[in-house]
Amino acid sequence: KVLTPGRLPPPASVALFIPGVMVTAAANAEAPREAGKDMLTGKAVRLNWHCLSIFVAINHACVTTPLIYSTTLLDKQVGYYGSALLYVSTCLGSLFLSIPLVMKLGQRNALFLAMALYSVYVGLFALATVLGKGDVGQWVVFLAASCIGGAAASLLWTSQGGYMGRSVTALIDATQCDMQTATSKHASAFAVYYLMFEVAFKLLSSVALQVDLRPWIIFAACFVCGVGSALGALTLRDYGLAPGAVRPSTCAKLVAALGLWRDPALWCLSPTNLAFGFSAAFMNGYVNATYTKVQLGEEYVGYFATATALLAAVFSKLFGTAAVRLGRKGPFVLIGSLCFVAIPVIVLAFGLDGWGGFLIVPYILQGCGRAVYESTNKGVFVDFFPGAAADGAFANQMVQSTLSFTLAFFFSAALPRSALAGIILALAASTFPGLLLAHEVRRRQQNQREAEEAAVGSDI
């Protein structure tokens, strides 16, 4: 029987074969635990996941709000270098910091620490806004905040991905649903909350700045909300190890995460992460500055960015529901890739000069593509890397997406429009073929593993 994503046996018995690395999601190592109960109910698992989604969404919205104002409320150079440092520290943290901390603290406590550090980033940003533009104090405060924020981001998304894997396991055990259904529902619910709170915080901050409320007051309020959401994370269920289970060493887990680099499936799935990063940077940098701001005014940059997030939330819900009914995620990965392809094609083939209100079109496409990245893509990663492999898989996913943001951030200042559009086009066009290739890789790996097991059995 071929083991393929979407046709997996119960996660308690999943064994993931990777050349040179064997990661086993054994029942005695991955089973969710609740004090005094042998089994969680499906309702309890779903409620806990919705609470996590809300807490993380509020916390992240508090961070993204000051991030978009870093080059306008602070000195431009301070904002530029601070943002670059944020991306670099996120990438490095995903490789070397997040896995050891998650293994030391566990997913829930690591989530709390990440959200607390995110709140520190917001608090330091509020402080930086009251310091003189370009002063040494502003440089020190914001660069320190960026390092802390990068570490927080790497830890947050690694622990959130690992927690999602534990929660999916618990839901399957409680309801006997299949892997595709569980991952689709989890990813869709998280993306909707995540994007809706982002929209709400961006709108509220824009209105507050328009009525001349002092920036430090706005971001101090974000700091309070961030701390509150971080404390809320402590109320989440702790999916620890089952009684008598032995937690693998931090070094072993880190080696396993880096060992995933040997798995071709990881790289086959990477175009979605890379395409989103480059496309988002292209929209935020080139399209905003060259077309939207010039033709419609600076306020429409914020309006269209909010529309992108709002549409992404709507599409995330639609795609998640449809994926459950179809039992497949592939068609929606294809839709997302076509949207990312369409953006550079429109810019290169038609240009956007004189489009006026029709400039909303590329933002709609970006919203649809982002929905796939934020929801469907996370479900695909859990399908391919279930159980014990989830922590390392999501750490690697964070490295890929952050690396694309970092490269696009620097390329935007050095490369012409056609080169950036060409990169996006190539990455987006390879997304769906990459998914198909990843399925084929898994099929061959499973066949190889079964052949080796049969050979061992015949020797005995």
Side-chain angles (χ1 to χ4, degrees):
K1 184 178 179 180
V2 177
L3 181 66
T4 57
R7 295 291 185 270
L8 296 171
S13 61
V14 170
L16 179 63
F17 179 77
I18 299 169
V21 179
M22 175 67 78
V23 181
T24 303
N28 67 338
E30 294 299 330
R33 177 190 65 191
E34 182 186 20
K37 293 186 180 181
D38 294 328
M39 181 72 70
L40 299 174
T41 65
K43 182 178 180 180
V45 174
R46 285 189 288 266
L47 177 60
N48 183 72
W49 180 252
H50 281 273
C51 289
L52 175 142
S53 301
I54 292 171
F55 293 145
V56 173
I58 292 174
N59 190 267
H60 193 263
C62 293
V63 174
T64 57
T65 300
L67 186 60
I68 62 177
Y69 293 109
S70 61
T71 57
T72 56
L73 296 179
L74 306 180
D75 178 77
K76 189 173 182 178
Q77 291 297 313
V78 173
Y80 179 89
Y81 284 106
S83 298
L85 184 58
L86 177 72
Y87 294 138
V88 171
S89 58
T90 301
C91 190
L92 294 176
S94 298
L95 279 174
F96 304 111
L97 178 68
S98 59
I99 288 293
L101 282 178
V102 169
M103 288 308 303
K104 180 71 174 178
L105 302 174
Q107 276 86 9
R108 189 197 65 174
N109 293 335
L111 271 172
F112 164 73
L113 177 60
M115 294 162 73
L117 291 175
Y118 250 166
S119 302
V120 172
Y121 169 83
V122 178
L124 290 176
F125 182 86
L127 175 61
T129 60
V130 302
L131 301 174
K133 282 194 172 185
D135 287 352
V136 174
Q138 190 176 78
W139 276 95
V140 171
V141 169
F142 189 60
L143 292 183
S146 297
C147 289
I148 294 171
S154 66
L155 181 59
L156 178 73
W157 296 117
T158 300
S159 55
Q160 185 267 348
Y163 196 98
M164 180 177 172
R166 300 293 198 279
S167 185
V168 164
T169 299
L171 185 62
I172 293 174
D173 288 343
T175 65
Q176 301 304 307
C177 65
D178 60 84
M179 176 73 82
Q180 286 277 0
T181 298
T183 55
S184 294
K185 288 184 175 180
H186 270 58
S188 174
F190 180 83
V192 169
Y193 288 120
Y194 174 80
L195 295 165
M196 289 301 295
F197 276 102
E198 179 181 326
V199 169
F201 273 71
K202 282 182 177 178
L203 285 175
L204 290 173
S205 63
S206 297
V207 171
L209 289 173
Q210 285 183 350
V211 298
D212 293 328
L213 192 64
R214 292 184 178 181
W216 74 266
I217 297 177
I218 299 171
F219 301 116
C222 289
F223 169 75
V224 173
C225 291
V227 171
S229 61
L231 293 175
L234 292 177
T235 66
L236 298 171
R237 192 173 302 278
D238 186 6
Y239 291 130
L241 298 176
V246 178
R247 184 184 295 275
S249 68
T250 298
C251 182
K253 194 75 172 183
L254 181 59
V255 169
L258 296 177
L260 291 178
W261 289 9
R262 299 180 182 180
D263 184 4
L266 180 70
W267 304 107
C268 292
L269 298 175
S270 64
T272 300
N273 303 316
L274 300 175
F276 170 73
F278 273 95
S279 183
F282 184 72
M283 291 293 298
N284 294 337
Y286 182 77
V287 175
N288 282 350
T290 307
Y291 299 110
T292 307
K293 182 179 179 180
V294 173
Q295 295 182 36
L296 299 174
E298 189 171 4
E299 65 275 13
Y300 274 85
V301 172
Y303 294 150
F304 283 178
T306 303
T308 296
L310 181 60
L311 288 168
V314 174
F315 284 128
S316 294
K317 181 63 176 177
L318 293 176
F319 293 164
T321 302
V324 170
R325 293 184 178 180
L326 288 176
R328 293 184 297 168
K329 299 183 180 73
F332 307 100
V333 174
L334 177 60
I335 291 173
S337 67
L338 291 176
C339 289
F340 286 138
V341 165
I343 292 173
V345 168
I346 290 174
V347 173
L348 291 177
F350 304 104
L352 299 176
D353 292 316
W355 277 42
F358 287 103
L359 283 171
I360 190 66
V361 171
Y363 291 90
I364 294 174
L365 295 170
Q366 181 69 15
C368 184
R370 185 179 177 186
V372 173
Y373 169 77
E374 301 287 6
S375 60
T376 309
N377 185 52
K378 285 182 170 59
V380 167
F381 261 74
V382 176
D383 289 340
F384 274 87
F385 302 97
D391 293 336
F394 276 91
N396 279 290
Q397 189 218 17
M398 193 62 190
V399 170
Q400 293 172 2
S401 58
T402 306
L403 181 62
S404 66
F405 271 107
T406 306
L407 292 176
F409 187 80
F410 290 110
F411 286 174
S412 296
L415 297 179
R417 177 193 68 176
S418 57
L420 290 173
I423 293 173
I424 299 169
L425 188 61
L427 291 172
S430 61
T431 294
F432 186 67
L435 176 63
L436 297 179
L437 186 58
H439 279 283
E440 178 62 19
V441 166
R442 275 291 179 269
R443 186 187 67 80
R444 293 188 178 186
Q445 287 175 347
Q446 181 61 17
N447 289 342
Q448 178 185 348
R449 178 170 171 265
E450 290 177 350
E452 291 177 354
E453 290 176 348
V456 172
S458 62
D459 291 340
I460 294 175

